[in-house]
Amino acid sequence: MQPKLKPDRLLAKSVEGRWKGSYSLVGHTADVVRAVTTLVDAKISEQETLGDRILQQFDLPCDINYLRNTVRLAAYIHDWGKANSHFQGVVRQDMADAAPRRNPLKTPQLVRHEILSLLIAWEFRDWLKAADGDFMTAFVAAGGHHLKLGGKEGKATDEVGELRPCEDDRITLYLRHPDFKRLIRFGKKQLNCPAKVKLAGKLKPTWWASEVKQRRESLLRQGFRDWEQDNPVLTAVVKALLVAGDAVGSAIPATKLRIDQWLKEALRCTLTEQDLDKVIEARLEGHKLRRFQIKLGDITERVGLARAGCGTGKTVGAYNWAKRHAIGRKLFFCYPTTGTSTEGFVDYVQKEIKSVLLHGRAEVDLAMKQTGEEAEVLVDEEELPNEVDLKLSSFKAWDKPAIVCTIDTVLGLTQCNRRPMYSFPAMANAAFVFDEVHSYDNALFGALLRFLETVKAPILLMSASFLPAQVDAIKAAVGNFESVEGHTELEKEKRYHFHYADEANWDRVQQELEAGGKVLWVCNQVSTAIAVYEKAQKLNFDSQLLLYHSRFCYEHRVQHHEAVIDAFKPENKEPVLAITTQVAEMSLDLSATLLISQIAEPPALIQRLGRLNRKYCGHALDAWFYLDPKKQPYSLDKLKQGRAMIDTFLDQAVTQADLAQWLDQHPDLDFNPKKQSVWLDGAWRTYPTALRESGVTVTCLLEQYKEVWSKRPRNQLNLHTVPLVVDNWRAANWERHKHFPIAPMEHFEYDPEKGAFPSTSNS
């Protein structure tokens, strides 16, 4: 039956009693064209626009007019496909007098609107090719602006969109509607399209599902497969600019802000020398910069490496580096985890300059560090059904000069992750610091290399340990770079005395605690850490006993983290035994007097040692290593490498310089970066995929706490989520609440003191 709906206006989104402006298809299109134009032309200084900086920062082989015209053309056609009966029914589902009203959950659209945008624009291609800008680059950007083109579940496909099961298998196009005619006139006036519209063929008003399928296949064959990109980076930049511009055009009008005014003010908010001086002076507390920190500030190459041991002042040195490289730019300070980024934000910039902490659980962290009162919190971008909230949270990076974040917020750009795509305009005029680079898995390091190759911005890479192969790969990616070694005198101090035993030395732990010491015990698995904690409880040590690992619900994990940090503060004189997992390698800024650690890969061991004698006491302190019979999560080869490093220095006093030299002499350590990037290599495809190597954990809610989390609003559920070791296929069969799998009690139990562990009934 032919659809009854004959809309008097074509809408771009649902409305609440309003039928004008940005809610109409013409109004929204004009908003997005204006947004991307303002992005390119926005002044970031008296002499330079953001478009100028983009050309330089991405080494684009075109002028600013070509860039502006291409992204404007993409913005012009990106929502043409909304001029159809299915979409117009969806945006009218709450209007009593509309027919047909369409509930997308019960009666989904036959095909997504951006796919129809492609199919319609392809028929107008001869007319659009005569417009200003590069048609094919604009065309593929328009089709991917919702990051759902050519990929499904993180993997590439050859499908141009997906045909959905649909009761009415035909769709009516409103190409003769007065509003679509207004769009055509807009193109003639604003995009320099020819006065006479030229079509590739006759456009029927109704398309059956079979015809949509045929048109998709024809586009794939005639358009995408034969397309030879002039420059993949230009395509990637246009895609990112359109995604960001559409986000602004969609979200900002809801806040009553003027798009052009807000953009101009936000993008011009950059760092000053006074900003950075405040950060440095607050941290130094009257002391002078060390020679190593001064050298970081003297780096003249675009890319710098800072290799220095833990506790030598790399972070202050990085802000000194920024005084040369980030003035007039924004600064993204990137950490590997949410915990480290939160600590970096609170410890350095929160009170000193206008800044923002940007990661999925940022507001939870900050609320817990401040008043403890309930606050609105955000969830991870992959789990957020309301994209407007995600867009608005991403805009926090646009009008701040300093952004402290996880590496996902930046390197996720290489895999078309949503938050970095929305934050692209801020990154286009930024300098970047990447800390703890040693901790990157092969996928993360591959993404870093692609970022270094593509983004010609000032970048500082920091770590206590770079593998020789990593340094070689960085050199291949950027050419010249400047390396600064840590504080020579500090790194030559005899900090660690190595010992080995097949089993953990409990007698040495008791001896240290009786002397009032602070013991850090690092295990390779959560189950091992819990077992060690339970044994320590039975031994009744007369000291504070703490357990910290990743398998707590987020609320408790933050509390355990704070408890460990507080217990190791110099002013706290009580002895403590803190039993942890790999979270100690990055998230804990503390100084232990004894380290007990299972054998792990060499870079991990070096990071664990960085928590021993961090505040140098004048002589070496004991590090006791013992065997991990489970041989997880490290491979046998990595465990052998770790044992070899320990044997080299067994029963010796060791310096940080010794450890760095050992790494330099062992280039055979595992290093195989994965450099595939959807953003740069996807051509016409635009879809998000995983940035990090796939793990074995799934973020879940626990059935035993259903009475608690079921009463929470969705934006507070992160307080109750727990990362659990479970097969994805098993979790896929569990019940869900607000997109989170619910772990049944028969599989997992939970104790606020110990965290989550397999249920004894399931053992």
PDB file of all heavy atoms in Angstrom, residues 292-307 317-318 320-325 458-462 480-485:
ATOM      1  N   PHE A 292      67.568  17.656  33.003  1.00  0.00           N
ATOM      2  CA  PHE A 292      66.806  16.823  32.079  1.00  0.00           C
ATOM      3  C   PHE A 292      65.530  17.546  31.633  1.00  0.00           C
ATOM      4  O   PHE A 292      65.167  17.545  30.455  1.00  0.00           O
ATOM      5  CB  PHE A 292      66.475  15.497  32.775  1.00  0.00           C
ATOM      6  CG  PHE A 292      65.295  14.749  32.217  1.00  0.00           C
ATOM      7  CD1 PHE A 292      65.339  14.226  30.941  1.00  0.00           C
ATOM      8  CD2 PHE A 292      64.150  14.549  32.980  1.00  0.00           C
ATOM      9  CE1 PHE A 292      64.265  13.515  30.428  1.00  0.00           C
ATOM     10  CE2 PHE A 292      63.080  13.851  32.481  1.00  0.00           C
ATOM     11  CZ  PHE A 292      63.133  13.327  31.203  1.00  0.00           C
ATOM     12  N   GLN A 293      64.839  18.189  32.567  1.00  0.00           N
ATOM     13  CA  GLN A 293      63.606  18.909  32.240  1.00  0.00           C
ATOM     14  C   GLN A 293      63.884  20.125  31.373  1.00  0.00           C
ATOM     15  O   GLN A 293      63.097  20.460  30.480  1.00  0.00           O
ATOM     16  CB  GLN A 293      62.907  19.304  33.541  1.00  0.00           C
ATOM     17  CG  GLN A 293      62.429  18.103  34.351  1.00  0.00           C
ATOM     18  CD  GLN A 293      62.082  18.458  35.786  1.00  0.00           C
ATOM     19  OE1 GLN A 293      62.632  19.402  36.353  1.00  0.00           O
ATOM     20  NE2 GLN A 293      61.169  17.700  36.382  1.00  0.00           N
ATOM     21  N   ILE A 294      65.007  20.768  31.609  1.00  0.00           N
ATOM     22  CA  ILE A 294      65.400  21.905  30.768  1.00  0.00           C
ATOM     23  C   ILE A 294      65.700  21.431  29.353  1.00  0.00           C
ATOM     24  O   ILE A 294      65.314  22.074  28.357  1.00  0.00           O
ATOM     25  CB  ILE A 294      66.618  22.629  31.379  1.00  0.00           C
ATOM     26  CG1 ILE A 294      66.224  23.284  32.706  1.00  0.00           C
ATOM     27  CG2 ILE A 294      67.179  23.669  30.411  1.00  0.00           C
ATOM     28  CD1 ILE A 294      67.403  23.862  33.468  1.00  0.00           C
ATOM     29  N   LYS A 295      66.375  20.280  29.239  1.00  0.00           N
ATOM     30  CA  LYS A 295      66.701  19.748  27.913  1.00  0.00           C
ATOM     31  C   LYS A 295      65.444  19.419  27.112  1.00  0.00           C
ATOM     32  O   LYS A 295      65.409  19.596  25.894  1.00  0.00           O
ATOM     33  CB  LYS A 295      67.580  18.499  28.052  1.00  0.00           C
ATOM     34  CG  LYS A 295      69.031  18.790  28.408  1.00  0.00           C
ATOM     35  CD  LYS A 295      69.843  17.505  28.404  1.00  0.00           C
ATOM     36  CE  LYS A 295      71.314  17.787  28.670  1.00  0.00           C
ATOM     37  NZ  LYS A 295      72.111  16.528  28.664  1.00  0.00           N
ATOM     38  N   LEU A 296      64.423  18.945  27.796  1.00  0.00           N
ATOM     39  CA  LEU A 296      63.166  18.689  27.089  1.00  0.00           C
ATOM     40  C   LEU A 296      62.611  19.977  26.495  1.00  0.00           C
ATOM     41  O   LEU A 296      62.080  19.995  25.378  1.00  0.00           O
ATOM     42  CB  LEU A 296      62.140  18.061  28.033  1.00  0.00           C
ATOM     43  CG  LEU A 296      62.366  16.598  28.415  1.00  0.00           C
ATOM     44  CD1 LEU A 296      61.299  16.135  29.404  1.00  0.00           C
ATOM     45  CD2 LEU A 296      62.359  15.698  27.190  1.00  0.00           C
ATOM     46  N   GLY A 297      62.734  21.071  27.226  1.00  0.00           N
ATOM     47  CA  GLY A 297      62.284  22.358  26.722  1.00  0.00           C
ATOM     48  C   GLY A 297      63.123  22.889  25.587  1.00  0.00           C
ATOM     49  O   GLY A 297      62.688  23.785  24.844  1.00  0.00           O
ATOM     50  N   ASP A 298      64.337  22.348  25.432  1.00  0.00           N
ATOM     51  CA  ASP A 298      65.245  22.801  24.368  1.00  0.00           C
ATOM     52  C   ASP A 298      65.099  22.002  23.078  1.00  0.00           C
ATOM     53  O   ASP A 298      65.783  22.292  22.086  1.00  0.00           O
ATOM     54  CB  ASP A 298      66.702  22.715  24.851  1.00  0.00           C
ATOM     55  CG  ASP A 298      67.006  23.731  25.949  1.00  0.00           C
ATOM     56  OD1 ASP A 298      66.279  24.745  26.026  1.00  0.00           O
ATOM     57  OD2 ASP A 298      67.952  23.504  26.719  1.00  0.00           O
ATOM     58  N   ILE A 299      64.263  20.972  23.063  1.00  0.00           N
ATOM     59  CA  ILE A 299      64.071  20.163  21.852  1.00  0.00           C
ATOM     60  C   ILE A 299      63.551  21.059  20.731  1.00  0.00           C
ATOM     61  O   ILE A 299      62.587  21.798  20.894  1.00  0.00           O
ATOM     62  CB  ILE A 299      63.077  19.008  22.115  1.00  0.00           C
ATOM     63  CG1 ILE A 299      63.717  17.950  23.012  1.00  0.00           C
ATOM     64  CG2 ILE A 299      62.610  18.381  20.804  1.00  0.00           C
ATOM     65  CD1 ILE A 299      62.781  16.816  23.388  1.00  0.00           C
ATOM     66  N   THR A 300      64.195  20.982  19.575  1.00  0.00           N
ATOM     67  CA  THR A 300      63.771  21.790  18.429  1.00  0.00           C
ATOM     68  C   THR A 300      63.081  20.959  17.351  1.00  0.00           C
ATOM     69  O   THR A 300      62.313  21.509  16.554  1.00  0.00           O
ATOM     70  CB  THR A 300      64.982  22.511  17.806  1.00  0.00           C
ATOM     71  OG1 THR A 300      65.972  21.540  17.436  1.00  0.00           O
ATOM     72  CG2 THR A 300      65.581  23.506  18.796  1.00  0.00           C
ATOM     73  N   GLU A 301      63.352  19.648  17.303  1.00  0.00           N
ATOM     74  CA  GLU A 301      62.685  18.798  16.309  1.00  0.00           C
ATOM     75  C   GLU A 301      61.197  18.689  16.622  1.00  0.00           C
ATOM     76  O   GLU A 301      60.766  18.818  17.770  1.00  0.00           O
ATOM     77  CB  GLU A 301      63.308  17.398  16.299  1.00  0.00           C
ATOM     78  CG  GLU A 301      64.727  17.345  15.774  1.00  0.00           C
ATOM     79  CD  GLU A 301      64.805  17.527  14.262  1.00  0.00           C
ATOM     80  OE1 GLU A 301      63.742  17.533  13.593  1.00  0.00           O
ATOM     81  OE2 GLU A 301      65.935  17.673  13.756  1.00  0.00           O
ATOM     82  N   ARG A 302      60.412  18.409  15.581  1.00  0.00           N
ATOM     83  CA  ARG A 302      58.962  18.277  15.760  1.00  0.00           C
ATOM     84  C   ARG A 302      58.619  17.149  16.718  1.00  0.00           C
ATOM     85  O   ARG A 302      57.688  17.256  17.517  1.00  0.00           O
ATOM     86  CB  ARG A 302      58.295  18.036  14.403  1.00  0.00           C
ATOM     87  CG  ARG A 302      56.793  17.843  14.489  1.00  0.00           C
ATOM     88  CD  ARG A 302      56.188  17.614  13.117  1.00  0.00           C
ATOM     89  NE  ARG A 302      56.536  16.331  12.536  1.00  0.00           N
ATOM     90  CZ  ARG A 302      55.886  15.191  12.788  1.00  0.00           C
ATOM     91  NH1 ARG A 302      54.877  15.194  13.644  1.00  0.00           N
ATOM     92  NH2 ARG A 302      56.233  14.069  12.189  1.00  0.00           N
ATOM     93  N   VAL A 303      59.354  16.041  16.642  1.00  0.00           N
ATOM     94  CA  VAL A 303      59.095  14.886  17.494  1.00  0.00           C
ATOM     95  C   VAL A 303      60.250  14.706  18.462  1.00  0.00           C
ATOM     96  O   VAL A 303      61.424  14.748  18.070  1.00  0.00           O
ATOM     97  CB  VAL A 303      58.907  13.607  16.658  1.00  0.00           C
ATOM     98  CG1 VAL A 303      58.726  12.381  17.557  1.00  0.00           C
ATOM     99  CG2 VAL A 303      57.696  13.753  15.736  1.00  0.00           C
ATOM    100  N   GLY A 304      59.918  14.528  19.719  1.00  0.00           N
ATOM    101  CA  GLY A 304      60.921  14.295  20.742  1.00  0.00           C
ATOM    102  C   GLY A 304      60.636  13.024  21.514  1.00  0.00           C
ATOM    103  O   GLY A 304      59.477  12.616  21.654  1.00  0.00           O
ATOM    104  N   LEU A 305      61.713  12.380  22.009  1.00  0.00           N
ATOM    105  CA  LEU A 305      61.597  11.208  22.870  1.00  0.00           C
ATOM    106  C   LEU A 305      62.212  11.545  24.221  1.00  0.00           C
ATOM    107  O   LEU A 305      63.325  12.075  24.286  1.00  0.00           O
ATOM    108  CB  LEU A 305      62.337  10.002  22.281  1.00  0.00           C
ATOM    109  CG  LEU A 305      61.539   9.029  21.405  1.00  0.00           C
ATOM    110  CD1 LEU A 305      61.073   9.715  20.136  1.00  0.00           C
ATOM    111  CD2 LEU A 305      62.376   7.791  21.090  1.00  0.00           C
ATOM    112  N   ALA A 306      61.485  11.251  25.266  1.00  0.00           N
ATOM    113  CA  ALA A 306      62.008  11.414  26.611  1.00  0.00           C
ATOM    114  C   ALA A 306      62.070  10.043  27.258  1.00  0.00           C
ATOM    115  O   ALA A 306      61.033   9.454  27.562  1.00  0.00           O
ATOM    116  CB  ALA A 306      61.122  12.353  27.422  1.00  0.00           C
ATOM    117  N   ARG A 307      63.275   9.526  27.422  1.00  0.00           N
ATOM    118  CA  ARG A 307      63.421   8.231  28.083  1.00  0.00           C
ATOM    119  C   ARG A 307      64.046   8.482  29.448  1.00  0.00           C
ATOM    120  O   ARG A 307      65.194   8.904  29.561  1.00  0.00           O
ATOM    121  CB  ARG A 307      64.288   7.273  27.275  1.00  0.00           C
ATOM    122  CG  ARG A 307      64.458   5.939  27.993  1.00  0.00           C
ATOM    123  CD  ARG A 307      64.942   4.836  27.100  1.00  0.00           C
ATOM    124  NE  ARG A 307      66.321   5.020  26.705  1.00  0.00           N
ATOM    125  CZ  ARG A 307      66.992   4.144  25.940  1.00  0.00           C
ATOM    126  NH1 ARG A 307      66.369   3.065  25.486  1.00  0.00           N
ATOM    127  NH2 ARG A 307      68.235   4.356  25.614  1.00  0.00           N
ATOM    128  N   GLY A 317      58.789  18.050  32.916  1.00  0.00           N
ATOM    129  CA  GLY A 317      59.600  18.307  31.724  1.00  0.00           C
ATOM    130  C   GLY A 317      58.747  18.420  30.470  1.00  0.00           C
ATOM    131  O   GLY A 317      59.043  19.221  29.577  1.00  0.00           O
ATOM    132  N   ALA A 318      57.679  17.622  30.408  1.00  0.00           N
ATOM    133  CA  ALA A 318      56.790  17.685  29.246  1.00  0.00           C
ATOM    134  C   ALA A 318      56.097  19.042  29.156  1.00  0.00           C
ATOM    135  O   ALA A 318      55.939  19.602  28.066  1.00  0.00           O
ATOM    136  CB  ALA A 318      55.756  16.569  29.325  1.00  0.00           C
ATOM    137  N   ASN A 320      57.337  21.750  30.261  1.00  0.00           N
ATOM    138  CA  ASN A 320      58.386  22.679  29.822  1.00  0.00           C
ATOM    139  C   ASN A 320      58.607  22.552  28.318  1.00  0.00           C
ATOM    140  O   ASN A 320      58.829  23.558  27.624  1.00  0.00           O
ATOM    141  CB  ASN A 320      59.683  22.402  30.584  1.00  0.00           C
ATOM    142  CG  ASN A 320      60.693  23.521  30.409  1.00  0.00           C
ATOM    143  OD1 ASN A 320      60.343  24.705  30.472  1.00  0.00           O
ATOM    144  ND2 ASN A 320      61.947  23.167  30.174  1.00  0.00           N
ATOM    145  N   TRP A 321      58.553  21.328  27.787  1.00  0.00           N
ATOM    146  CA  TRP A 321      58.603  21.112  26.334  1.00  0.00           C
ATOM    147  C   TRP A 321      57.472  21.867  25.648  1.00  0.00           C
ATOM    148  O   TRP A 321      57.654  22.468  24.583  1.00  0.00           O
ATOM    149  CB  TRP A 321      58.509  19.611  26.046  1.00  0.00           C
ATOM    150  CG  TRP A 321      58.303  19.242  24.604  1.00  0.00           C
ATOM    151  CD1 TRP A 321      59.273  19.035  23.659  1.00  0.00           C
ATOM    152  CD2 TRP A 321      57.041  19.022  23.940  1.00  0.00           C
ATOM    153  NE1 TRP A 321      58.686  18.701  22.454  1.00  0.00           N
ATOM    154  CE2 TRP A 321      57.327  18.688  22.596  1.00  0.00           C
ATOM    155  CE3 TRP A 321      55.713  19.074  24.351  1.00  0.00           C
ATOM    156  CZ2 TRP A 321      56.323  18.407  21.664  1.00  0.00           C
ATOM    157  CZ3 TRP A 321      54.713  18.802  23.434  1.00  0.00           C
ATOM    158  CH2 TRP A 321      55.017  18.468  22.112  1.00  0.00           C
ATOM    159  N   ALA A 322      56.303  21.849  26.258  1.00  0.00           N
ATOM    160  CA  ALA A 322      55.134  22.505  25.668  1.00  0.00           C
ATOM    161  C   ALA A 322      55.334  24.018  25.546  1.00  0.00           C
ATOM    162  O   ALA A 322      54.716  24.660  24.681  1.00  0.00           O
ATOM    163  CB  ALA A 322      53.889  22.193  26.498  1.00  0.00           C
ATOM    164  N   LYS A 323      56.189  24.607  26.385  1.00  0.00           N
ATOM    165  CA  LYS A 323      56.434  26.053  26.291  1.00  0.00           C
ATOM    166  C   LYS A 323      57.068  26.420  24.955  1.00  0.00           C
ATOM    167  O   LYS A 323      56.905  27.540  24.465  1.00  0.00           O
ATOM    168  CB  LYS A 323      57.325  26.521  27.439  1.00  0.00           C
ATOM    169  CG  LYS A 323      56.615  26.563  28.783  1.00  0.00           C
ATOM    170  CD  LYS A 323      57.541  27.017  29.898  1.00  0.00           C
ATOM    171  CE  LYS A 323      57.981  28.459  29.704  1.00  0.00           C
ATOM    172  NZ  LYS A 323      58.784  28.932  30.857  1.00  0.00           N
ATOM    173  N   ARG A 324      57.760  25.494  24.341  1.00  0.00           N
ATOM    174  CA  ARG A 324      58.347  25.741  23.018  1.00  0.00           C
ATOM    175  C   ARG A 324      57.409  25.305  21.898  1.00  0.00           C
ATOM    176  O   ARG A 324      57.363  25.925  20.834  1.00  0.00           O
ATOM    177  CB  ARG A 324      59.685  25.010  22.880  1.00  0.00           C
ATOM    178  CG  ARG A 324      60.350  25.180  21.506  1.00  0.00           C
ATOM    179  CD  ARG A 324      61.623  24.371  21.394  1.00  0.00           C
ATOM    180  NE  ARG A 324      62.677  24.905  22.221  1.00  0.00           N
ATOM    181  CZ  ARG A 324      63.593  25.798  21.803  1.00  0.00           C
ATOM    182  NH1 ARG A 324      63.564  26.242  20.548  1.00  0.00           N
ATOM    183  NH2 ARG A 324      64.526  26.225  22.617  1.00  0.00           N
ATOM    184  N   HIS A 325      56.640  24.239  22.124  1.00  0.00           N
ATOM    185  CA  HIS A 325      55.929  23.598  21.016  1.00  0.00           C
ATOM    186  C   HIS A 325      54.403  23.741  21.046  1.00  0.00           C
ATOM    187  O   HIS A 325      53.752  23.398  20.054  1.00  0.00           O
ATOM    188  CB  HIS A 325      56.276  22.106  20.978  1.00  0.00           C
ATOM    189  CG  HIS A 325      57.711  21.830  20.645  1.00  0.00           C
ATOM    190  ND1 HIS A 325      58.193  21.870  19.361  1.00  0.00           N
ATOM    191  CD2 HIS A 325      58.770  21.531  21.439  1.00  0.00           C
ATOM    192  CE1 HIS A 325      59.491  21.591  19.369  1.00  0.00           C
ATOM    193  NE2 HIS A 325      59.867  21.384  20.619  1.00  0.00           N
ATOM    194  N   PRO A 458      53.650  18.926  16.649  1.00  0.00           N
ATOM    195  CA  PRO A 458      54.671  18.679  17.676  1.00  0.00           C
ATOM    196  C   PRO A 458      54.218  17.540  18.590  1.00  0.00           C
ATOM    197  O   PRO A 458      53.093  17.553  19.092  1.00  0.00           O
ATOM    198  CB  PRO A 458      54.734  20.011  18.435  1.00  0.00           C
ATOM    199  CG  PRO A 458      54.132  21.029  17.516  1.00  0.00           C
ATOM    200  CD  PRO A 458      53.098  20.294  16.731  1.00  0.00           C
ATOM    201  N   ILE A 459      55.085  16.557  18.789  1.00  0.00           N
ATOM    202  CA  ILE A 459      54.728  15.365  19.558  1.00  0.00           C
ATOM    203  C   ILE A 459      55.897  14.978  20.454  1.00  0.00           C
ATOM    204  O   ILE A 459      57.042  14.912  19.994  1.00  0.00           O
ATOM    205  CB  ILE A 459      54.359  14.196  18.628  1.00  0.00           C
ATOM    206  CG1 ILE A 459      53.115  14.538  17.796  1.00  0.00           C
ATOM    207  CG2 ILE A 459      54.118  12.914  19.423  1.00  0.00           C
ATOM    208  CD1 ILE A 459      52.800  13.525  16.707  1.00  0.00           C
ATOM    209  N   LEU A 460      55.599  14.705  21.712  1.00  0.00           N
ATOM    210  CA  LEU A 460      56.603  14.223  22.660  1.00  0.00           C
ATOM    211  C   LEU A 460      56.189  12.844  23.140  1.00  0.00           C
ATOM    212  O   LEU A 460      55.065  12.654  23.615  1.00  0.00           O
ATOM    213  CB  LEU A 460      56.728  15.174  23.853  1.00  0.00           C
ATOM    214  CG  LEU A 460      57.744  14.778  24.934  1.00  0.00           C
ATOM    215  CD1 LEU A 460      59.171  14.780  24.376  1.00  0.00           C
ATOM    216  CD2 LEU A 460      57.631  15.692  26.152  1.00  0.00           C
ATOM    217  N   LEU A 461      57.080  11.869  23.016  1.00  0.00           N
ATOM    218  CA  LEU A 461      56.843  10.500  23.457  1.00  0.00           C
ATOM    219  C   LEU A 461      57.676  10.242  24.703  1.00  0.00           C
ATOM    220  O   LEU A 461      58.880  10.513  24.710  1.00  0.00           O
ATOM    221  CB  LEU A 461      57.223   9.510  22.354  1.00  0.00           C
ATOM    222  CG  LEU A 461      56.631   9.773  20.968  1.00  0.00           C
ATOM    223  CD1 LEU A 461      57.212   8.790  19.951  1.00  0.00           C
ATOM    224  CD2 LEU A 461      55.116   9.665  21.006  1.00  0.00           C
ATOM    225  N   MET A 462      57.049   9.699  25.746  1.00  0.00           N
ATOM    226  CA  MET A 462      57.753   9.520  27.010  1.00  0.00           C
ATOM    227  C   MET A 462      57.597   8.086  27.512  1.00  0.00           C
ATOM    228  O   MET A 462      56.532   7.485  27.386  1.00  0.00           O
ATOM    229  CB  MET A 462      57.216  10.483  28.066  1.00  0.00           C
ATOM    230  CG  MET A 462      57.253  11.945  27.666  1.00  0.00           C
ATOM    231  SD  MET A 462      57.155  13.078  29.077  1.00  0.00           S
ATOM    232  CE  MET A 462      55.592  12.594  29.818  1.00  0.00           C
ATOM    233  N   ASN A 480      63.679  12.554  11.251  1.00  0.00           N
ATOM    234  CA  ASN A 480      64.476  13.088  12.351  1.00  0.00           C
ATOM    235  C   ASN A 480      63.640  13.273  13.609  1.00  0.00           C
ATOM    236  O   ASN A 480      62.494  13.716  13.558  1.00  0.00           O
ATOM    237  CB  ASN A 480      65.084  14.435  11.956  1.00  0.00           C
ATOM    238  CG  ASN A 480      66.089  14.298  10.832  1.00  0.00           C
ATOM    239  OD1 ASN A 480      66.771  13.275  10.718  1.00  0.00           O
ATOM    240  ND2 ASN A 480      66.191  15.301   9.996  1.00  0.00           N
ATOM    241  N   PHE A 481      64.210  12.920  14.727  1.00  0.00           N
ATOM    242  CA  PHE A 481      63.619  13.228  16.020  1.00  0.00           C
ATOM    243  C   PHE A 481      64.762  13.470  16.998  1.00  0.00           C
ATOM    244  O   PHE A 481      65.921  13.161  16.722  1.00  0.00           O
ATOM    245  CB  PHE A 481      62.696  12.118  16.515  1.00  0.00           C
ATOM    246  CG  PHE A 481      63.401  10.819  16.831  1.00  0.00           C
ATOM    247  CD1 PHE A 481      63.956  10.597  18.081  1.00  0.00           C
ATOM    248  CD2 PHE A 481      63.494   9.817  15.884  1.00  0.00           C
ATOM    249  CE1 PHE A 481      64.608   9.411  18.372  1.00  0.00           C
ATOM    250  CE2 PHE A 481      64.143   8.628  16.160  1.00  0.00           C
ATOM    251  CZ  PHE A 481      64.703   8.417  17.414  1.00  0.00           C
ATOM    252  N   GLU A 482      64.423  14.033  18.139  1.00  0.00           N
ATOM    253  CA  GLU A 482      65.433  14.360  19.134  1.00  0.00           C
ATOM    254  C   GLU A 482      65.136  13.583  20.404  1.00  0.00           C
ATOM    255  O   GLU A 482      64.005  13.596  20.894  1.00  0.00           O
ATOM    256  CB  GLU A 482      65.426  15.864  19.419  1.00  0.00           C
ATOM    257  CG  GLU A 482      66.651  16.368  20.161  1.00  0.00           C
ATOM    258  CD  GLU A 482      66.742  17.879  20.143  1.00  0.00           C
ATOM    259  OE1 GLU A 482      66.109  18.499  19.265  1.00  0.00           O
ATOM    260  OE2 GLU A 482      67.437  18.445  21.002  1.00  0.00           O
ATOM    261  N   SER A 483      66.139  12.897  20.927  1.00  0.00           N
ATOM    262  CA  SER A 483      65.968  12.067  22.106  1.00  0.00           C
ATOM    263  C   SER A 483      66.692  12.689  23.294  1.00  0.00           C
ATOM    264  O   SER A 483      67.826  13.154  23.169  1.00  0.00           O
ATOM    265  CB  SER A 483      66.508  10.658  21.849  1.00  0.00           C
ATOM    266  OG  SER A 483      66.315   9.833  22.971  1.00  0.00           O
ATOM    267  N   VAL A 484      66.022  12.700  24.429  1.00  0.00           N
ATOM    268  CA  VAL A 484      66.602  13.224  25.663  1.00  0.00           C
ATOM    269  C   VAL A 484      66.553  12.121  26.712  1.00  0.00           C
ATOM    270  O   VAL A 484      65.490  11.559  26.986  1.00  0.00           O
ATOM    271  CB  VAL A 484      65.836  14.469  26.158  1.00  0.00           C
ATOM    272  CG1 VAL A 484      66.376  14.921  27.508  1.00  0.00           C
ATOM    273  CG2 VAL A 484      65.930  15.591  25.138  1.00  0.00           C
ATOM    274  N   GLU A 485      67.714  11.809  27.257  1.00  0.00           N
ATOM    275  CA  GLU A 485      67.787  10.808  28.313  1.00  0.00           C
ATOM    276  C   GLU A 485      67.482  11.458  29.657  1.00  0.00           C
ATOM    277  O   GLU A 485      67.609  12.664  29.836  1.00  0.00           O
ATOM    278  CB  GLU A 485      69.174  10.171  28.344  1.00  0.00           C
ATOM    279  CG  GLU A 485      69.548   9.449  27.063  1.00  0.00           C
ATOM    280  CD  GLU A 485      68.662   8.251  26.780  1.00  0.00           C
ATOM    281  OE1 GLU A 485      68.312   7.537  27.743  1.00  0.00           O
ATOM    282  OE2 GLU A 485      68.294   8.030  25.606  1.00  0.00           O
TER     283      GLU A 485
END
